[in-house]
Amino acid sequence: MGVLEHTSRRFNTFLHIKTRIYRKFSYDYTQTRVLSTNYSNNAPILPVLIVGAGPVGLVLSVLLTKLGIKCAVVERSNEFSKHPQAHFINNRSMEIFHKLDGLAEEIQRSQPPVELWRKFIYCTSLTGSVIGSVDHMQSQDFDQIVSPVSVAHFSQYKLNALLTKQLEAIGFTIRNEGLNHRHLAEREILMGHTCTSVEPTDNFINVTASSVTEGNHIENQIPCRFLVGADGAGSTVRNLVGIELRGEKDIQKLVSVHFLSRELGRYLMYEKPGMLFFIFNPGAIGVLVAHDLKQGEFILQMPFYPPQQKFEDFTSETCKKLIFKLVGHELADINVVDIKPWVMHAEVAEKYLACDNRIILAGDAAHRFPPAGGFGMNTGIQDAHNLAWKLAAVIKGIAPMSILPTYEMERRPIALFNTELSIQNFQAAMAVPAALGLDPATANSVHQVINNTVGSILPSTVQKTLLDGIFSLGRAQLSDFVLNENNPLGSSRLAKVRRIFEEGKSLQLQFPAEDLGFRYREGALVPEIDSEGAPIKPEPPMGRRREYIPSADPGSRLPHMNVRILSEVKKEVIISALDLISRDKVEFLLIIAPIDSSYRLAHVVLKVANEHNILVKVCVMWPNGLVNEDARTKTSLAPWENYVDVVEVRQPPNSSSWWDICKMTHRGAILVRPDDHIAWRVKSVVVGDVTAEMKKVFSAILGLL
């Protein structure tokens, strides 16, 4: 099948799916009351419409706006959720936030002190004996040698609040009312509107967003050039365009209980502070996420097994009783805020783009991971960072539409990798209960046997009694009588748990090698290839913490090193090398040493870039202690003026130089993309026709003809 024929068939399939789903939605709405439509043929075409006002959609809005791209957001909820949800922000996401007007620093000021969340604690009850604990922070996590910022523990709803504050500061308005026969304007977040259909035309995508006003369903037509579905794991956009998820479904069904108790928070803060508490006792089993011990804000996660166990059975009073069992006594000030069911999946969308690359998925809409390791929100934030500059490049006419498939080429392999790593980490989380005699696989097997045998015969109440009885027998192994050092069986099991901790085989929080060291193997870059001409494949995930090793290989994130801007030496202004990359322009950064051959290369790069309307800034990296020619760059690069001289700031002074960190000689050069990833590098001088070579480089990166 040819490419054009294949594209045509996929497009026709898309139209069929869209029409079928659109009719269904329209039919459902007309059953309620009056269906009215606000539509105008003269409506302005919004460059980018984002569906979903979670962290991914909000971050993308900030990034696009800073790059000068008009956008707006549609969100189905009437208000921002107060459910804590995700809470771990990894190093790479914090680096992105660091460049959003100091968002990372505001998070670090607002988060709980690291001493209150650095550990995972395994116990028989929150006030009972501790089986063991794991400290997930190491000294190098705070020394800022490999990154200008550190990881954070900060609830998603608090992050959303900071992001909306940033958006309001740059002119965004949050609206809870309908459009009332006006057009959706740029820099608006429209709450309470659900995307119900997408209709591609030759010039734009017509999005139907419905809302309910006084019992009437109102439909608004919003034309846009690009539609980004950042609307979560149950993405409406993904479903409307018929993109399937691939992977493992229904790994575990859980109930999430959001509750407040300052009494419990105070106790844990002083007696056994931690982020996660894995609680195993004869009365109940659960995982407690301490979102904020000072505020006493918690999420309790508990597995449940339908249809024998029903979500409706988890009433507020039932959840309180379960919490008291896990705590070890009653709490006088407990307040159950919310109870939600959720299903754990490990899936990635079969593709990220549809409709001639004009409809794009990001975040949980494109991938759903087990929460082990906190990859979900972080991967989504990094999706937005990858996508923003590419959309801006297309809309500004810097790059053709052909650059957009590189978003999928780069980000989907990362999602697949993170899916596998999350599964490995989830399996590691199951190692401790298995060692205690509570193998979750056995519980799932028992549940499946009941469903496949007596499930169709016995009444549901009898099935529930049977299942609860079997689980109670299993939990009996956690009694003090069994689980103690004087009982041979209990002593053996406790020793096995200790070995799991010592060998680093329990649930892990940090993965520095994957967090900072993930690398794009092909896409908007000049890839390194193996002896057979194929991109070099990544190592498979290990499921354990591995340290990050800085790399200047194409596709890698630029290494961090503190530098001082040469013109501001007297001011002692120190920044990260990552801060040299523009925050508000689609601009590449060429890093060279102050030598003649590199200045000549920079001349060619600037000339070629200028011919193609590409912005490039030259960074001249001076070695520590050898700056004595402050006018050399100006003379060598004239008439070009878009450059900056910086000098290495080594920590400690005898540490590696910039070029040693990059594993290159000072005769080489590095070209960095607007998203901090290396697009091209040469380890030594460019051989042959430099102009022709650089034209090939920019063509490969941006898809120029």
Side-chain angles (χ1 to χ4, degrees):
M1 183 189 301
V3 173
L4 292 176
E5 182 183 357
H6 176 73
T7 302
S8 176
R9 290 190 182 183
R10 295 303 292 266
F11 187 69
N12 289 336
T13 301
F14 161 73
L15 286 176
H16 170 73
I17 293 170
K18 175 260 155 188
T19 303
R20 175 169 49 83
I21 296 177
Y22 176 72
R23 286 174 180 166
K24 173 182 180 294
F25 271 62
S26 297
Y27 174 81
D28 286 346
Y29 286 147
T30 55
Q31 299 305 301
T32 310
R33 280 196 187 177
V34 179
L35 175 67
S36 62
T37 302
N38 295 330
Y39 178 76
S40 171
N41 289 324
N42 298 318
I45 299 173
L46 197 64
V48 181
L49 176 65
I50 301 165
V51 178
V56 176
L58 296 178
V59 167
L60 182 59
S61 301
V62 175
L63 292 170
L64 287 173
T65 302
K66 286 184 173 297
L67 290 171
I69 301 303
K70 297 178 181 179
C71 63
V73 183
V74 170
E75 166 58 41
R76 61 173 169 258
S77 299
N78 290 311
E79 58 185 21
F80 290 100
S81 172
K82 293 294 184 182
H83 201 82
Q85 297 172 285
H87 57 95
F88 179 66
I89 307 176
N90 70 17
N91 234 148
R92 185 64 190 126
S93 294
M94 286 293 281
E95 288 180 348
I96 295 169
F97 292 163
H98 168 67
K99 299 176 77 169
L100 296 184
D101 297 330
L103 177 60
E105 289 70 23
E106 189 168 4
I107 290 170
Q108 288 175 328
R109 288 192 300 269
S110 305
Q111 71 172 345
V114 69
E115 294 304 319
L116 298 183
W117 54 267
R118 63 189 297 161
K119 292 182 180 180
F120 290 176
I121 295 175
Y122 299 77
C123 54
T124 57
S125 74
L126 293 175
T127 55
S129 59
V130 173
I131 298 170
S133 66
V134 179
D135 188 342
H136 290 281
M137 306 302 290
Q138 299 180 10
S139 59
Q140 63 263 35
D141 297 330
F142 305 103
D143 58 19
Q144 297 187 346
I145 296 298
V146 298
S147 176
V149 289
S150 301
V151 300
H153 173 47
F154 197 64
S155 299
Q156 181 173 318
Y157 78 91
K158 296 178 181 178
L159 173 61
N160 282 350
L162 294 184
L163 287 167
T164 53
K165 187 173 84 170
Q166 281 219 358
L167 285 165
E168 288 173 331
I170 57 176
F172 271 74
T173 303
I174 301 172
R175 300 192 182 279
N176 294 91
E177 72 277 4
L179 291 175
N180 297 323
H181 301 284
R182 66 176 183 83
H183 307 309
L184 179 65
E186 63 171 297
R187 305 195 187 194
E188 283 191 339
I189 301 175
L190 191 62
M191 307 295 290
H193 283 68
T194 300
C195 174
T196 57
S197 81
V198 290
E199 182 180 4
T201 71
D202 290 340
N203 300 317
F204 60 89
I205 296 168
N206 191 49
V207 177
T208 304
S210 72
S211 62
V212 178
T213 302
E214 297 179 350
N216 296 323
H217 284 277
I218 309 297
E219 288 192 341
N220 297 283
Q221 309 299 319
I222 306 171
C224 61
R225 184 174 174 188
F226 293 100
L227 172 66
V228 179
D231 49 341
S235 172
T236 299
V237 173
R238 185 187 67 234
N239 292 330
L240 284 172
V241 298
I243 295 177
E244 298 290 335
L245 292 168
R246 299 281 184 252
E248 190 174 352
K249 295 180 183 291
D250 299 341
I251 296 173
Q252 181 76 66
K253 292 181 174 64
L254 300 105
V255 172
S256 176
V257 184
H258 178 202
F259 72 95
L260 304 174
S261 172
R262 288 187 179 272
E263 176 189 344
L264 179 59
R266 282 193 302 269
Y267 171 79
L268 293 175
M269 189 162 55
Y270 292 110
E271 297 298 327
K272 52 182 77 164
M275 176 192 284
L276 298 185
F277 296 82
F278 300 82
I279 311 159
F280 309 98
N281 68 48
I285 294 173
V287 179
L288 186 75
V289 185
H291 280 264
D292 194 320
L293 291 178
K294 286 187 175 180
Q295 296 178 0
E297 184 169 31
F298 302 92
I299 290 287
L300 174 63
Q301 306 281 13
M302 298 178 293
F304 85 110
Y305 299 86
Q308 292 79 17
Q309 297 176 344
K310 294 180 171 60
F311 171 67
E312 294 75 20
D313 297 335
F314 290 86
T315 63
S316 180
E317 286 304 311
T318 299
C319 290
K320 284 181 183 180
K321 291 176 182 177
L322 288 168
I323 291 167
F324 296 159
K325 288 179 180 179
L326 295 168
V327 171
H329 61 72
E330 293 189 1
L331 299 169
D333 66 343
I334 189 169
N335 174 23
V336 174
V337 179
D338 195 13
I339 306 167
K340 290 184 176 181
W342 65 282
V343 182
M344 186 187 301
H345 306 283
E347 299 176 297
V348 177
E350 61 181 343
K351 59 180 182 177
Y352 282 19
L353 299 102
C355 184
D356 297 329
N357 306 324
R358 294 183 292 163
I359 299 177
I360 306 165
L361 302 181
D364 286 355
H367 41 72
R368 312 195 292 193
F369 307 144
F375 287 100
M377 180 179 71
N378 290 296
T379 305
I381 289 166
Q382 292 149 32
D383 288 344
H385 197 226
N386 182 289
L387 177 60
W389 77 271
K390 294 174 181 176
L391 278 174
V394 171
I395 293 168
K396 287 175 175 287
I398 299 169
M401 286 283 290
S402 58
I403 195 176
L404 293 178
T406 68
Y407 164 67
E408 178 181 317
M409 291 169 65
E410 294 175 355
R411 293 305 302 167
R412 190 169 182 274
I414 300 300
L416 291 169
F417 184 97
N418 288 347
T419 301
E420 188 175 349
L421 185 54
S422 297
I423 291 173
Q424 290 178 353
N425 206 25
F426 172 69
Q427 291 169 343
M430 299 299 102
V432 172
L436 295 173
L438 295 173
D439 189 344
T442 302
N444 290 331
S445 297
V446 168
H447 181 232
Q448 189 173 3
V449 167
I450 291 176
N451 286 337
N452 294 339
T453 55
V454 298
S456 60
I457 303 171
L458 297 177
S460 58
T461 54
V462 177
Q463 291 183 52
K464 183 179 185 304
T465 302
L466 176 61
L467 186 69
D468 289 347
I470 293 171
F471 286 173
S472 294
L473 285 173
R475 292 195 303 270
Q477 301 176 83
L478 302 171
S479 67
D480 292 339
F481 174 75
V482 176
L483 206 60
N484 70 80
E485 295 293 353
N486 296 321
N487 183 307
L489 178 60
S491 177
S492 172
R493 288 177 172 175
L494 291 171
K496 189 181 293 185
V497 170
R498 283 194 294 271
R499 285 196 299 273
I500 291 171
F501 294 151
E502 291 166 0
E503 295 171 4
K505 293 182 178 179
S506 61
L507 178 71
Q508 299 297 299
L509 176 64
Q510 291 209 72
F511 295 88
E514 290 77 15
D515 175 359
L516 295 174
F518 71 86
R519 178 183 171 193
Y520 303 137
R521 305 288 166 164
E522 55 182 342
L525 51 89
V526 180
E528 288 195 341
I529 56 177
D530 60 20
S531 58
E532 297 180 357
I536 298 173
K537 294 181 179 180
E539 295 180 12
M542 302 296 291
R544 300 190 198 180
R545 173 170 176 146
R546 296 183 298 176
E547 296 308 316
Y548 162 71
I549 300 173
S551 170
D553 294 338
S556 301
R557 160 261 199 195
L558 182 72
H560 158 71
M561 183 183 198
N562 281 333
V563 297
R564 186 180 291 114
I565 297 177
L566 190 54
S567 61
E568 299 179 358
V569 169
K570 293 181 180 179
K571 296 180 183 179
E572 296 294 321
V573 176
I574 296 175
I575 63 172
S576 168
L578 294 162
D579 293 325
L580 296 167
I581 299 152
S582 177
R583 308 174 188 204
D584 54 12
K585 296 191 289 286
V586 180
E587 181 181 69
F588 289 79
L589 181 73
L590 179 70
I591 303 177
I592 61 171
I595 59 175
D596 291 342
S597 61
S598 294
Y599 282 126
R600 288 194 294 271
L601 171 65
H603 255 282
V604 173
V605 170
L606 290 167
K607 182 175 183 296
V608 171
N610 185 62
E611 290 172 354
H612 291 88
N613 192 32
I614 302 166
L615 292 178
V616 174
K617 179 167 68 177
V618 176
C619 167
V620 182
M621 183 73 70
W622 291 80
N624 185 38
L626 294 179
V627 182
N628 53 22
E629 299 181 65
D630 55 358
R632 182 176 181 186
T633 297
K634 182 176 182 179
T635 303
S636 299
L637 290 182
W640 307 105
E641 297 182 349
N642 194 21
Y643 66 86
V644 60
D645 284 291
V646 302
V647 59
E648 301 171 342
V649 177
R650 300 192 190 178
Q651 295 176 315
N654 61 348
S655 59
S656 298
S657 71
W658 169 256
W659 299 106
D660 287 339
I661 289 173
C662 295
K663 301 177 179 62
M664 297 170 57
T665 73
H666 71 289
R667 299 175 67 81
I670 301 171
L671 185 65
V672 190
R673 307 187 321 190
D675 64 351
D676 308 341
H677 282 259
I678 295 169
W680 168 83
R681 65 96 181 264
V682 58
K683 290 186 176 182
S684 188
V685 296
V686 177
V687 178
D689 187 335
V690 180
T691 299
E693 177 64 21
M694 295 318 302
K695 286 182 177 179
K696 289 179 183 177
V697 166
F698 282 113
S699 176
I701 296 167
L702 297 173
L704 304 174
L705 297 177

